[in-house]
Amino acid sequence: MKCIVGIGGMTNGGKTTLTNSLLKVLPNCCVIHQDDFFKPQDQIAVGEDGFKQWDVLESLDMEAMLSTVQAWMSNPRKFARAHGVSVQPDALDTHILILEGFLLYSYKPLVDLYSRRYFLTVPYEECKWRRSTRSYEVPDPPGLFDGHVWPMYQKYKQEMEANGVEVVYLDGMKSREELFHQVREDIQNSLLNHS
């Protein structure tokens, strides 16, 4: 059985932390990080807001990400081996792919591939504070969060909801352990119900 799990949501909502925890315990589990598909900096447009448009779908090479997902779908064992994941003999028929990123549910060719879709949220102030404590390869210029990051998050979340993309909302203010146990149990139940 193949299962594609989306761990999406806002910037600094806890997506990578949750993904890394799940990766350690789910059988034959691989991960694809959407951040690995950013286009080169010189290909990122400057918007009307005066900021480089990192938080828009066009900043990502989504066709390359889709091709990577399709490679996993066509041969999950080969994909796992190529990415250093040991295939567990007691779970040979179970293969899980986690897609982790902030715009996972905005690219139509991927939307219907998910077995489960999760969406992490945290309040504005918490998100802004978490973002301010992170260091990025391309540092945030002053005003980026309020002038670009937060408005783009709201725009894409509203589009996702308007398009009827069903997600399980997760409260990113819960403890790491609580989120991990909730999602792990949900994925395991989903696997049991489909086997």
Side-chain angles (χ1 to χ4, degrees):
M1 173 186 176
K2 297 179 202 168
C3 179
I4 299 179
V5 176
I7 305 290
M10 63 185 1
T11 180
N12 297 282
K15 299 178 301 295
T16 304
T17 300
L18 177 57
T19 297
N20 290 340
S21 296
L22 292 169
L23 191 59
K24 293 175 186 173
V25 299
L26 295 174
N28 304 328
C29 186
C30 297
V31 65
I32 296 173
H33 298 280
Q34 191 174 41
D35 283 358
D36 292 340
F37 295 90
F38 273 113
K39 293 176 181 173
Q41 185 171 336
D42 62 352
Q43 293 180 25
I44 305 299
V46 175
E48 292 176 15
D49 57 16
F51 296 109
K52 284 229 177 213
Q53 302 294 291
W54 290 104
D55 291 79
V56 300
L57 200 57
E58 295 76 20
S59 70
L60 297 154
D61 186 347
M62 292 304 295
E63 288 179 11
M65 185 173 180
L66 178 61
S67 292
T68 306
V69 172
Q70 290 168 334
W72 177 86
M73 290 173 67
S74 69
N75 194 334
R77 270 189 209 161
K78 181 179 178 183
F79 187 95
R81 284 193 306 269
H83 290 85
V85 175
S86 300
V87 177
Q88 298 176 9
D90 58 336
L92 284 176
D93 293 333
T94 301
H95 295 277
I96 300 169
L97 177 64
I98 297 176
L99 302 183
E100 180 268 330
F102 67 109
L103 291 175
L104 293 182
Y105 312 127
S106 299
Y107 186 64
K108 293 192 188 313
L110 278 179
V111 169
D112 294 330
L113 299 180
Y114 297 101
S115 308
R116 306 295 290 166
R117 295 183 207 96
Y118 300 96
F119 193 92
L120 280 145
T121 63
V122 295
Y124 164 84
E125 288 297 334
E126 177 71 14
C127 186
K128 186 173 183 175
W129 176 79
R130 289 182 186 185
R131 177 93 181 199
S132 73
T133 65
R134 299 273 300 269
S135 62
Y136 292 93
E137 189 174 316
V138 179
D140 284 356
L144 179 72
F145 185 85
D146 289 319
H148 177 67
V149 174
W150 189 257
M152 290 299 103
Y153 158 70
Q154 291 180 309
K155 172 187 180 246
Y156 283 107
K157 182 175 180 276
Q158 288 168 357
E159 286 178 8
M160 175 189 77
E161 291 168 344
N163 290 331
V165 177
E166 292 182 24
V167 298
V168 175
Y169 286 96
L170 300 173
D171 180 357
M173 297 298 287
K174 289 183 177 179
S175 73
R176 293 174 179 187
E177 295 77 21
E178 195 174 351
L179 285 169
F180 164 71
H181 290 296
Q182 176 185 346
V183 174
R184 181 185 67 179
E185 183 176 319
D186 190 46
I187 292 170
Q188 287 173 332
N189 287 338
S190 177
L191 291 172
L192 287 172
N193 290 334
H194 289 96
S195 57

